[in-house]
Structure formats: structure tokens, C-alpha cells
Amino acid sequence: MAEMQPESELYTKLKGTKPFFLLAGPNVIQSEEHIFKMCRYIKSVTDDLGIEYVFKSSFDKANRTNVKSFRGPGMDEGLKVLDKVKHAFDVPIVTDIHEPHQAEPVAKVADIIQIPAFLCRQTDLLVAAGKSGAIINIKKGQFCASSVMRNSAEKIRSTGNPNVMVCERGTMFGYSDLVVDPRNMELMRDANCPIVADVTHSLQQPAGRATGSGGVASGGLRELIPCVSRTCVAVGVDGIFMEVHDDPNSSPVDGPTQWPLRHLRPLLKELIDIGNATKGKERFDIDVSPFREDETP
């Protein structure tokens, strides 16, 4: 075990944010122009609403259903775009990696490295990410119990990096559906780190949509994003992860589960109201001793 280093300034700020911080942006980098437009619009909303914001987009979608599917510009070109948007808008960046060798170069641009759900137990990947010194957001595997995330977080801390978050993104229900179990967002707190809820990927229907070519693609239930978002904020998550697009149906990746940009402000305003009203971050002190006659129920 390496000696534990101090928390980063951004990590401490995100931990202390009320009612929640936001990781949001288009699923994948389509072009520099599109990334700049999306960051400008989303940041204008979060600035108005007083939400701590981290811009999200991916340079490579390595786990697409079809080998012919669009993946993004790749690491080298994608990091150039993310670095430009980071400095143009003075905004932190979150993006994902899939292989250990990506951790070091990505951490030179990204403030938060995201570990995809399918890879949440991959020790070499987690250790390489931890050694980068970035904040690490680990998505819980669709196949994993909440308790797994405690061990995944410890793999990051074993490198001396205390900056780790864990993220709920749904659990497989049959072959082509996901469900969000609100209990996970409470149970994952035993990982002793901030809890993030991915309210868009958790509504995917993996490989559940037939294509005209006779193949399959992932579908999704965009109309339920408000439902899942309200639930997660009421339970008391620390952060919300949300993919947002100005024209979701034209997105080359995960269009069915990206939230329309025009509806971002009203949804966030409602979630802020819920977050300010809930006591979800506080443990309920349950007393199971026998009820006394002098008590008031």
C-alpha cells in the first residue's frame, strides 16, 4: 500500500457540494464545434443554477454493440479537443479510459477519469488510474452487487490516491433491460466516498433494439430519466451523471438515453428543489427498543 496523499482541491469541493454536483455532456466527441457548443450551453445553465459542473464526453467508445459503430476520434485527437474546451470555458473534465496505458496521458487533461461499468473490477486498470493522481469515478458493473464497489475503491486507494467516487448505473434485469435499485445508493456508502448516479445509462436496454440490417443495437427509455433522477436525488446521492445532447436522435452513440438540451434547465431546477428538501444524506437513527408508555408516537 502506497502512502496516502492529500485529497485534490476539486475532490474536496465536490464532496462538500449541496445538493449535488453534475457530470454532464454528450456521450462522445462528434466534433470540436459540437463539443464547444454543448459545453457553452450546459455551463450557462449550471452557472445560473449554482451547480458545480464537470464537462463529460468520451474520445473512444470501446464497447459498442457493433464493430462498425462510431467510436469517436480516438485518444490523441479527443484529448486535444477536451483540453481546448477545458481552457476555453474554465471547466473540469471527466472522460473514460479502457486500458491501463491510457491513464497517464488522459490524466494530463482530465480532472476525473471514469472507469466503465464493464471494467469496474479490472485491477490493472484501476491501479493505473489510481497512480495517475486524478479523481477516479468507478461505475458499478451491471452484474455487480453494491458491495463490490468497496473493493474497487480500495484498489484506487492502494496507490495512495484518496480521490475516488463510485457510480450507480443500473443492474441487468434479464437480457435486454436494466433496473435502478435505490438501495444500492445507500449500500454503496460503505465504500466511504461520494456516490454518483448515472441517470441516463441506467435506462439503456442493451442490445434490445432491432436494426434494419438485421442486427441489434441498444435502446433506452429516455422518458424515465426524470423518474430515475428524482429518485436518486431524493435518496441523497452526491453527484448526478447525465448525458445531454442538442439533437439526441442524431447522436451516433446512445441517442435513446441522452437527455435533450432544451429540457436540462427545468429538470435540474426540480432536482435542486428535491435535493434541498430531502434528508437522504442523513442516516435515520432507528430505535428498535420496546415502545415506552411515556413516549409520543
Side-chain angles (χ1 to χ4, degrees):
M1 295 282 287
E3 181 180 354
M4 192 62 69
Q5 299 301 307
E7 292 181 356
S8 72
E9 183 178 346
L10 176 61
Y11 184 70
T12 301
K13 180 190 291 186
L14 294 177
K15 281 176 58 178
T17 296
K18 299 290 188 290
F20 55 83
F21 58 84
L22 179 69
L23 316 179
N27 181 289
V28 67
I29 298 171
Q30 294 174 229
S31 69
E32 182 177 317
E33 180 184 9
H34 185 250
I35 288 298
F36 268 64
K37 178 171 71 172
M38 291 301 300
C39 187
R40 181 172 63 253
Y41 280 127
I42 297 173
K43 190 172 187 295
S44 70
V45 172
T46 57
D47 284 351
D48 286 349
L49 298 178
I51 296 174
E52 288 292 339
Y53 174 52
V54 181
F55 179 77
K56 184 272 170 187
S57 200
S58 299
F59 55 77
D60 181 22
K61 307 304 294 184
N63 59 348
R64 299 303 309 280
T65 304
N66 192 312
V67 70
K68 298 177 182 178
S69 296
F70 178 77
R71 289 179 53 165
M75 185 173 72
D76 292 342
E77 289 305 311
L79 289 178
K80 290 177 184 177
V81 173
L82 293 175
D83 190 53
K84 287 180 181 178
V85 79
K86 175 177 182 172
H87 290 96
F89 296 99
D90 190 26
V91 64
I93 299 292
V94 55
T95 195
D96 39 345
I97 63 172
H98 297 83
E99 301 178 69
H101 73 84
Q102 295 175 328
E104 185 176 352
V106 169
K108 293 178 181 177
V109 174
D111 303 270
I112 304 176
I113 289 177
Q114 187 160 272
I115 305 298
F118 287 136
L119 303 175
C120 70
R121 293 174 50 170
Q122 296 296 105
T123 300
D124 290 347
L125 181 64
L126 291 167
V127 168
K131 286 180 178 179
S132 75
I135 300 169
I136 312 300
N137 183 36
I138 313 171
K139 289 196 172 183
K140 183 182 75 65
Q142 304 92 322
F143 47 86
C144 290
S146 58
S147 57
V148 169
M149 302 311 289
R150 179 177 61 245
N151 291 341
S152 294
E154 283 305 313
K155 291 178 182 181
I156 301 298
R157 296 189 184 108
S158 74
T159 69
N161 185 347
N163 307 301
V164 61
M165 309 185 292
V166 294
C167 180
E168 167 64 24
R169 63 95 73 216
T171 302
M172 288 301 300
F173 187 71
Y175 292 108
S176 297
D177 205 1
L178 295 167
V179 294
V180 177
D181 183 349
R183 296 176 299 176
N184 283 334
M185 287 166 275
E186 178 72 22
L187 296 172
M188 284 198 300
R189 290 206 176 276
D190 71 357
N192 296 311
C193 63
I195 308 298
V196 180
D198 180 342
V199 300
T200 45
H201 283 108
S202 58
L203 285 160
Q204 280 182 330
Q205 294 183 311
R209 180 166 58 94
T211 65
S213 60
V216 293
S218 292
L221 300 170
R222 181 186 297 118
E223 66 274 15
L224 294 181
I225 290 173
C227 170
V228 170
S229 302
R230 293 164 182 148
T231 302
C232 294
V233 173
V235 169
V237 295
D238 302 288
I240 293 290
F241 176 100
M242 179 187 298
E243 291 191 331
V244 180
H245 202 283
D246 59 324
D247 185 10
N249 289 338
S250 75
S251 174
V253 184
D254 287 350
T257 52
Q258 296 199 63
W259 187 243
L261 175 62
R262 66 169 49 89
H263 298 311
L264 179 62
R265 184 185 298 269
L267 179 56
L268 289 177
K269 287 178 70 175
E270 180 183 350
L271 297 181
I272 289 171
D273 289 342
I274 294 171
N276 288 332
T278 185
K279 294 185 177 181
K281 288 184 172 67
E282 303 174 17
R283 280 195 173 275
F284 201 103
D285 186 14
I286 303 174
D287 183 352
V288 296
S289 63
F291 184 79
R292 303 186 308 275
E293 292 297 327
D294 60 346
E295 287 186 79
T296 301

